[in-house]
Each structure stands twice: as structure tokens, then as C-alpha cells.
Amino acid sequence: MTENPFFAAGPLVGGLPPYAEIREEHYLPAYERGMAEQLAEIAAITGTPGGPTFENTLVALERSGELLRRVDAVFRNQSSSDTTELLDEVEATVSPLLAAHHDAIHLDQELFARVEALHGQRAGLGLDPESLRLLERWYTAFVRSGARLGTAEQTRLRELNAELAALATTFQQNVNTATRAAALVVDTAEELAGLSEGAIAGAAENARVLGHPGRYVLSLKSPSHQPELAQLSDRSVRERLLAASLGRGVAENGPPAIRLAELRAERAALLGHPSHAAYVVADETAGTVEAVSGLLARLVEPALANARREAAELAKVAAADGIGEIAAHDWAYYSEKVRQASYQVDAAALRPYFELERVLRDGVFFAAGLAYGLTFTERPELTAHHPDARVFEVFEQDGSPLGLFIGDFHARASKRGGAWMDELVGQSGLTGRRPVVLNNLNIPRPAPGEPALLSWDEVRTMFHEFGHALHGLFSDVTYPLFAGTSVPRDFVEFPSQVNEMWMVRPEVLANYARHHETGEPLPAALVERMTAAEGFGQGYRTVEYLAATLLDWAWHTLPAGHRVADAEEFEARALAEAGIAVPAIPPRYRTPYFQHIFSSGYSAGYYAYIWSEVLDADTVEWFGGNGRSVRESGELFRRELLARGFSRDPLESFRAVVGRAPDTAPLLARRGLDQGLTVR
Ligand SMILES: [Zn+2]
């Protein structure tokens, strides 16, 4: 094997990881050496004579694990964005090793003794606010990881963490397999009536590839929604497609889900918390289970009332097709009909105005110029993780370099579903390193020579993910622990949701939404109707989101020792008890494919989206009405909030921008929940 490129001390090429040299077989050895190196660094810290100081303990901790950080950032993106069988294997091998490595550091008694001693003297150490916070956060991390437990409990904790890590990987790989296996096969093109000719041809080609020549296959989209449900006119096909989607993974993933929930409850009890949810939110901005339960409970009834009004509208249209009651598989189809009839909005008619390149440069980048003065230059000579991925250098208003942004916009078989942001290189004042951030989307690749035309939702996703990217790019902290998006989960969606506002700001929209052939601007009337039509789906969207959130909450508020016999039964009872069991509106994720909470680190955290949205809706109002220019508002938001990362209490950052504590009223208004009356 050639020299492993991860081993080189200064591996960045033009600021990027050395992608041209990285091979699949480099990851595992780099992980192994990275963990060993960090443990040696920890041993050097605990072996330092003369007692602990902030410098020889905390700063040394922050500097440790450089190689591990390097390989982990590259691998996490690669295994999500362009995976292979070998990378899947590496992931399965590495995840329990990483869990054990985390424990080896956080349960190291000598190391903890040093941190604890410094923590005890913290008021007298003369530390600046960020350094003081670093000491407090490391101390908290040790305690939350079990550093104060006795030996027997720590042994059990290590076992639990290892088993949990392995179970999460099993769960995820089961979702991938089950999603592929649950594809819907139909015999005739007539059954696919309503889909475009291109989509039907695509289903035929898909069938050929998957070994069903002469038939048609609709592969399930991951993670949740099947867009064809809005178009298929054959009700029985809609019913079969939805059943396939809702049923995937039921056979395989019930037992791992139960085991994950039970072991998490046991771990929480070991660490002194009544449930996993209590353990999790103690370190989030929400603070307590009651705070989260309270917000959720307040939203359920108004959201259901809103959804019932929507159902009545749908039923009027569906009656013409002889349908008495709207079923789950009818909802998207008749929503589309209502949108077309009541709002004269045809989703397909919008696409020609949303050409990917224009949305990116004249929309997303343009808005970042307006608010923050940024400019972007593509660097096609730089190699990223996949030939589709494009590298842009980001500059400040004065022309100085800020960092790199990588956009990987198209779907492919090797990429997981959804859209997300990653940090390949985190900003760090300690090393002087500039950030490299990355957005992955799943926009279908257009036919050769054709432009990529986006849906309204895809445009929103692009602005959303770029909001995370800005959070990473603007990071201006000393310690890597606090960089960019390393804020609590119930805060991290806030900046990205705020960035969505630019999508429909008139000055931004006018700049990017132009017909890709004629250059005509998107008619203002169409935008107004689209915005109104968006309000129409809020009832459904809020209910399906709340149902998933309450399902997460039910799994993770279980006390230790509670045994669950059957996952489906548990799910049904949990939804009924939360008052949100609506047959026509299934939860956005059912237990067997709820990856956020069983395999992706959002356990007891799915509430974070609506929790963040309180801050988001409030901030969007602030941006429009605080008397400052857009550029001045942007600067303040950047300086006081985005740049700070987790180097101070996030709610303090919020108050530094908006000037007061968050208010829920703008969120309730946006979601049509304020009076529970108006369909907006
Ligand atoms: Zn997000």
C-alpha cells in the first residue's frame, strides 16, 4: 500500500482533504492509528508532572485527536454521500470502536481528576469567558459520560455503549435493505396513469435494471415521502405504494428499535436520570422533559383542527371521484388537486423558473452577498469527494478568504436520502484552520443536455442547507469544541431555517426565479398563490411531524426496566395516548425506518425542529422589522450568533441579536395555529 494520505501532518490540498490520494483501504488503518495517537496524547496529559493547568490539560485535550478528526470527517461524508460495500463494512467495524474510544477518554480516572481539580478552582484561574466555558463543558461531558460512577457501573456503561453503537448500525443497514426490497412492482403502464411520460419510462428502465423486464418499478424514496402519491390517479396503486412505504423494515427493525430504547433507558438510569429523554434534554436548550412535552401538547389540538379543515376541503374534491372519506393514500393526491383548483398553483409550472445553477448563484449565493457581503468563486481544479461535487472558494466583502464550500447536489444510488451539511474541516483558532463545509442534496439528475429544474421544496432545501453551511463558515472561536454547528441539537436547525427566508424575499426571488428558456421573471401573482397554497398544507405537515416527534418522545421517556413486547403495538398505543393517532395522517416516520432517532443521533431530539422554529420564526420577523438595513442585520446576526458557535450559551446569543427572550407567537401564526381557525 502507498503511504496513507491521512497520516501526513498537513494533509490539506488547497484547503481540502487530499481526495485524489484517498483510497477506501486507507480509512480503517487511519482510524486505528488516529485512536491510538489520541490515547497516547491523553497518556501524555495525565503523565505531565507538576499538576494540572488549563494549558497542559484542557488546551492539550483540544489539540489531541487531530488524525482521528481528519479521517472521521472525511469518512462520515464519504459513507453517506458515496458509499460502497467496503465502506459499509468499515462503518460497521468502526462504530463500536469509536464508542469504546469515547469511553476510554471520558472514563479515564486520572484525566477526569485533572479536569475536576481545575473545575474546582475555575473562578481563580483568570480564564477568559471562552476558556472558562471550555473547562465547564469538558467537565460536564465527563460527568454525563459516567466519569463519577464506580468501577462496576462503568464496566456496564462500556458494554451498553458498545451494544448501542452496533445496534444503531444494524438498524441503519436494515433500513437501507428494506427500502430497496419494498419497491412497488406493477404490470402495466396504465396503472401509473398520472405520472409524466418520463417518469413512466424511468419506472420501466428501473424494472429492467432490477430484473423485472417488461414491468414497472417505483423504488421507494428514502427517508419517507413518496412523491408519486400526489400524481397517481389509480387509487389502488396509491394504496399499494403507501403500504410499501409504511411497511418497510417492520419485520427486521422492531427488535433492534426495542432493544435500543431499553438500553438507552438503562444507561440513563445508570447516569442518574429518569429516562433517556431526561438525560438528553438536560444538556439541550430545552432543559427538561416537561418543557418539551408542554410545547408539544400545546400544538397537538390546533394542528389537528387545522388538518381536519384541510381534510374537509379535500373531501369536497374527492367526492367527484366517488370517494367518501379521505384515506392516507389520498391525501397528497387531493391536496395537489385542491392547490390547483383553489390556488391555481401547478407545482410543475414552477419548475422552469427554478434552474439549479440560477438558484445557486443568483439566489443562495446572492442572498449571502446581500446579508453578509460574501462572494463565491468556483475552483473546478480542486478535487472533492465525488466528480459531481463542486468546490467554491468563499470570500469576505473585503476580498479576504473565508473558507471553502462544496456543493454535491444530485442524487445517485450510492448516496443516502435527504439533504444534509457536513464539516470536512472545522474552524479552529488554535490551529488557525479555515472551515471547509459541504452540502449534500438529492436533486434528480436531468437527462443529458437538459437543465436541472427544481421543485419549490428543493429550492427551500438548498437555502436551508446553505444556512448550516454559513454557520460553519462564519465560525470564529478559539477551541474546536465550539466551532460552527456544534451547538445543541435543539438550536442547530435555527440558523438553517432562518436562511430559508431569503428564498421568498422579493429582492432575492426577483434575482433568481427566471424562466430558464425565456428569462422571464416568475410572475408575482404565482408566488403569492404558491405562498398561500403552502399555508394550506400546514395542518397535515404539522400533524405528521408532531406524530413522529411524540413517537420519539414515547420511546425515549420509558423508564429503565420497562419491557416492550412489540414495536408496532407500542407505536399504535403511543400515538393514541398522545391524542395524535389519525389514520389518514401517518407519522412522518414510523418506528422501523425512523433513522433520526434510532441510528443518526437524534434520539429524544426530533422535537428540535419545531423548538428551533420558534427562534426561527421570531428571527425572521426581526430581520424584517428592526429598523436596520439587511446588511446591518446580517452582520449583527453573524457576529453575535453564527460566529459564536457554542462558545457561549446559545440563548444568550439569541438575546444578543433580537434583544429579548424568544416568543412563540410568530411560529404559531406561521403554522396557522394561532387561532386554530384560518387556513392560510
Ligand atoms: Zn437542517
Side-chain angles (χ1 to χ4, degrees):
M1 198 199 302
T2 52
E3 180 62 24
N4 191 317
F6 287 111
F7 295 169
L12 302 182
V13 179
L16 280 173
Y19 277 113
E21 274 124 59
I22 297 171
R23 305 278 170 266
E24 288 185 337
E25 60 271 23
H26 292 142
Y27 289 111
L28 195 53
Y31 264 116
E32 284 166 348
R33 191 191 281 195
M35 288 186 256
E37 271 185 11
Q38 192 172 23
L39 292 183
E41 287 162 334
I42 301 296
I45 294 173
T46 55
T48 305
T53 64
F54 181 77
E55 198 65 31
N56 76 18
T57 302
L58 274 305
V59 176
L61 263 174
E62 284 293 290
R63 286 189 188 278
S64 74
E66 191 59 35
L67 169 56
L68 183 57
R69 215 191 317 263
R70 214 150 59 208
V71 60
D72 194 46
V74 174
F75 180 78
R76 271 187 296 108
N77 174 62
Q78 200 71 31
S79 61
S80 305
S81 181
D82 190 24
T83 197
T84 64
E85 258 178 54
L86 183 64
L87 292 187
D88 284 351
E89 279 172 36
V90 172
E91 190 175 11
T93 307
V94 157
S95 59
L97 295 179
L98 284 175
H101 180 70
H102 180 273
D103 283 342
I105 294 172
H106 289 82
L107 299 179
D108 181 320
Q109 288 310 294
E110 290 177 60
L111 184 61
F112 179 57
R114 295 175 76 93
V115 173
E116 195 175 31
L118 289 167
H119 187 256
Q121 313 153 19
R122 65 191 180 283
L125 295 175
L127 299 174
D128 64 83
E130 189 180 336
S131 298
L132 179 61
R133 185 171 169 83
L134 184 74
L135 174 53
E136 285 169 347
R137 288 302 309 168
W138 268 103
Y139 178 74
T140 304
F142 275 100
V143 173
R144 286 178 57 78
S145 302
R148 277 183 171 158
L149 298 181
T151 313
E153 282 119 336
Q154 289 192 349
T155 304
R156 179 62 187 143
L157 190 60
R158 288 178 202 261
E159 287 168 9
L160 288 171
N161 287 337
E163 192 177 346
L164 283 166
L167 277 167
T169 308
T170 304
F171 185 93
Q172 179 61 50
Q173 294 184 348
N174 284 348
V175 172
N176 299 347
T177 315
T179 300
R180 280 194 293 273
L184 180 69
V185 185
V186 301
D187 294 326
T188 64
E190 289 71 57
E191 290 168 272
L192 299 183
L195 300 188
S196 70
E197 272 175 39
I200 294 174
E205 170 60 12
N206 198 20
R208 193 189 60 76
V209 172
L210 295 173
H212 303 280
R215 302 169 83 191
Y216 302 84
V217 175
L218 298 179
S219 285
L220 292 188
K221 307 295 179 299
S222 178
S224 185
H225 282 150
Q226 309 308 319
E228 295 91 347
L229 288 173
Q231 294 150 18
L232 289 163
S233 53
D234 185 329
R235 194 181 192 207
S236 70
V237 178
R238 291 199 303 267
E239 185 170 7
R240 283 161 61 202
L241 179 61
L242 183 65
S245 180
L246 294 175
R248 70 184 119 154
V250 166
E252 306 90 329
N253 263 347
I258 292 172
R259 186 89 180 132
L260 278 158
E262 288 177 354
L263 296 184
R264 284 169 179 164
E266 183 187 342
R267 180 175 61 183
L270 208 54
L271 294 165
H273 295 269
S275 66
H276 179 67
Y279 168 72
V280 168
V281 297
D283 205 37
E284 300 282 319
T285 70
T288 64
V289 166
E290 291 69 31
V292 176
S293 302
L295 177 69
L296 297 178
R298 234 178 106 194
L299 297 175
V300 167
E301 253 320 302
L304 285 172
N306 209 350
R308 277 194 289 270
R309 278 191 306 279
E310 290 175 5
E313 297 255 325
L314 303 186
K316 277 187 231 156
V317 182
D321 293 343
I323 291 172
E325 198 175 333
I326 294 292
H329 49 269
D330 298 322
W331 202 290
Y333 182 73
Y334 287 103
S335 289
E336 196 52 39
K337 291 234 179 302
V338 168
R339 274 192 204 105
Q340 288 176 15
S342 309
Y343 301 94
Q344 286 89 48
V345 167
D346 176 2
L350 289 168
R351 282 186 185 266
Y353 295 92
F354 296 146
E355 194 264 312
L356 190 150
E357 205 57 30
R358 270 215 133 110
V359 174
L360 177 68
R361 292 179 185 273
D362 301 339
V364 173
F365 289 172
F366 175 74
L370 281 185
Y372 309 109
L374 301 185
T375 56
F376 300 81
T377 303
E378 188 155 9
R379 299 278 306 272
E381 77 283 10
L382 292 179
T383 305
H385 61 279
H386 186 278
D388 283 356
R390 299 162 59 185
V391 184
F392 297 86
E393 191 162 12
V394 187
F395 297 97
E396 300 272 18
Q397 187 154 25
D398 67 4
S400 55
L402 179 64
L404 296 179
F405 168 72
I406 302 173
D408 183 358
F409 300 115
H410 288 300
R412 54 181 166 261
S414 60
K415 196 191 262 192
R416 78 167 156 88
W420 68 97
M421 172 268 197
D422 252 323
E423 267 174 18
L424 285 177
V425 180
Q427 181 269 334
S428 161
L430 276 187
T431 59
R433 204 159 283 153
R434 283 203 286 267
V436 179
V437 300
L438 188 152
N439 281 172
N440 271 292
L441 274 69
N442 265 293
I443 294 165
R445 181 183 300 284
E450 296 292 313
L453 302 179
L454 275 52
S455 70
W456 180 267
D457 282 342
E458 285 165 344
V459 174
R460 193 208 330 268
T461 300
M462 220 158 155
F463 278 90
H464 176 98
E465 296 306 331
F466 196 72
H468 288 303
L470 288 173
H471 202 181
L473 284 167
F474 285 146
S475 178
D476 187 15
V477 299
T478 304
Y479 304 112
L481 186 70
F482 297 142
T485 54
S486 56
V487 294
R489 288 179 314 194
D490 65 2
F491 192 78
V492 74
E493 293 301 325
F494 158 51
S496 53
Q497 289 172 347
V498 166
N499 205 59
E500 292 175 25
M501 75 177 161
W502 300 110
M503 171 185 177
V504 291
R505 291 275 290 216
E507 69 271 39
V508 180
L509 194 68
N511 199 57
Y512 75 88
R514 289 179 171 272
H515 196 283
H516 72 102
E517 280 167 339
T518 65
E520 291 289 312
L522 180 65
L526 194 52
V527 179
E528 265 167 46
R529 294 203 302 269
M530 188 63 205
T531 315
E534 263 211 315
F536 174 73
Q538 288 292 357
Y540 181 92
R541 281 197 290 274
T542 309
V543 169
E544 63 151 14
Y545 166 77
L546 285 174
T549 305
L550 288 158
L551 183 57
D552 170 27
W553 215 233
W555 277 114
H556 292 117
T557 46
L558 287 176
H562 184 99
R563 293 284 165 259
V564 175
D566 180 83
E568 278 198 282
E569 210 177 275
F570 177 87
E571 176 177 305
R573 200 173 46 240
L575 295 174
E577 281 173 6
I580 202 156
V582 187
I585 309 181
R588 186 180 294 174
Y589 303 99
R590 295 195 61 216
T591 299
Y593 52 90
F594 203 164
Q595 305 167 40
H596 288 78
I597 68 164
F598 290 115
S599 58
S600 305
Y602 261 67
S603 56
Y606 201 62
Y607 79 90
Y609 290 91
I610 207 141
W611 194 266
S612 297
E613 204 181 326
V614 171
L615 306 182
D616 153 36
D618 209 359
T619 305
V620 169
E621 296 235 322
W622 172 84
F623 247 99
N626 64 38
R628 294 180 185 83
S629 70
V630 162
R631 184 72 184 81
E632 286 164 345
S633 299
E635 206 52 42
L636 183 60
F637 189 59
R638 170 183 175 169
R639 187 180 67 240
E640 293 295 341
L641 197 136
L642 298 175
R644 301 280 181 148
F646 200 30
S647 69
R648 74 173 169 192
D649 180 333
L651 290 180
E652 203 178 301
S653 294
F654 176 88
R655 279 191 297 272
V657 173
V658 178
R660 54 168 172 73
D663 176 9
T664 53
L667 166 78
L668 300 181
R670 178 195 284 185
R671 289 213 171 222
L673 306 175
D674 40 355
Q675 302 96 24
L677 288 171
T678 38
V679 175
R680 290 147 40 95

mmCIF file of all heavy atoms in Angstrom, residues 464-465 468 493 496 609, ligand 1:
data_model
loop_
_atom_site.group_PDB
_atom_site.id
_atom_site.type_symbol
_atom_site.label_atom_id
_atom_site.label_comp_id
_atom_site.label_asym_id
_atom_site.label_seq_id
_atom_site.Cartn_x
_atom_site.Cartn_y
_atom_site.Cartn_z
ATOM 1 N N HIS A 464 -31.950 26.093 2.918
ATOM 2 C CA HIS A 464 -31.846 25.557 4.275
ATOM 3 C C HIS A 464 -30.433 25.021 4.542
ATOM 4 O O HIS A 464 -29.779 25.405 5.515
ATOM 5 C CB HIS A 464 -32.874 24.438 4.473
ATOM 6 C CG HIS A 464 -32.779 23.762 5.810
ATOM 7 N ND1 HIS A 464 -33.593 24.097 6.866
ATOM 8 C CD2 HIS A 464 -31.953 22.789 6.268
ATOM 9 C CE1 HIS A 464 -33.253 23.354 7.918
ATOM 10 N NE2 HIS A 464 -32.267 22.553 7.580
ATOM 11 N N GLU A 465 -29.971 24.138 3.682
ATOM 12 C CA GLU A 465 -28.659 23.521 3.920
ATOM 13 C C GLU A 465 -27.553 24.569 3.862
ATOM 14 O O GLU A 465 -26.557 24.464 4.577
ATOM 15 C CB GLU A 465 -28.401 22.386 2.921
ATOM 16 C CG GLU A 465 -29.366 21.205 3.050
ATOM 17 C CD GLU A 465 -29.447 20.628 4.454
ATOM 18 O OE1 GLU A 465 -28.454 20.704 5.193
ATOM 19 O OE2 GLU A 465 -30.530 20.123 4.826
ATOM 20 N N HIS A 468 -26.917 26.063 7.188
ATOM 21 C CA HIS A 468 -25.966 25.296 8.005
ATOM 22 C C HIS A 468 -24.534 25.591 7.551
ATOM 23 O O HIS A 468 -23.618 25.716 8.368
ATOM 24 C CB HIS A 468 -26.205 23.792 7.854
ATOM 25 C CG HIS A 468 -27.458 23.282 8.515
ATOM 26 N ND1 HIS A 468 -27.717 23.448 9.850
ATOM 27 C CD2 HIS A 468 -28.509 22.577 8.013
ATOM 28 C CE1 HIS A 468 -28.880 22.861 10.147
ATOM 29 N NE2 HIS A 468 -29.378 22.331 9.049
ATOM 30 N N GLU A 493 -30.881 23.708 14.111
ATOM 31 C CA GLU A 493 -31.734 23.932 12.945
ATOM 32 C C GLU A 493 -32.196 25.380 12.822
ATOM 33 O O GLU A 493 -32.772 25.766 11.808
ATOM 34 C CB GLU A 493 -32.957 23.006 12.979
ATOM 35 C CG GLU A 493 -32.621 21.530 12.810
ATOM 36 C CD GLU A 493 -31.918 21.227 11.501
ATOM 37 O OE1 GLU A 493 -32.222 21.878 10.490
ATOM 38 O OE2 GLU A 493 -31.037 20.351 11.502
ATOM 39 N N SER A 496 -30.306 27.469 10.015
ATOM 40 C CA SER A 496 -30.619 26.966 8.677
ATOM 41 C C SER A 496 -32.048 27.329 8.295
ATOM 42 O O SER A 496 -32.332 27.668 7.152
ATOM 43 C CB SER A 496 -30.403 25.459 8.618
ATOM 44 O OG SER A 496 -31.104 24.808 9.658
ATOM 45 N N TYR A 609 -36.719 20.308 15.733
ATOM 46 C CA TYR A 609 -37.088 21.106 14.555
ATOM 47 C C TYR A 609 -38.098 22.179 14.920
ATOM 48 O O TYR A 609 -37.971 23.332 14.534
ATOM 49 C CB TYR A 609 -37.612 20.194 13.443
ATOM 50 C CG TYR A 609 -36.519 19.353 12.846
ATOM 51 C CD1 TYR A 609 -36.233 18.090 13.355
ATOM 52 C CD2 TYR A 609 -35.731 19.839 11.812
ATOM 53 C CE1 TYR A 609 -35.210 17.320 12.825
ATOM 54 C CE2 TYR A 609 -34.706 19.082 11.278
ATOM 55 C CZ TYR A 609 -34.445 17.820 11.780
ATOM 56 O OH TYR A 609 -33.423 17.071 11.272
HETATM 57 ZN ZN ZN B 1 -31.182 21.223 8.787
#
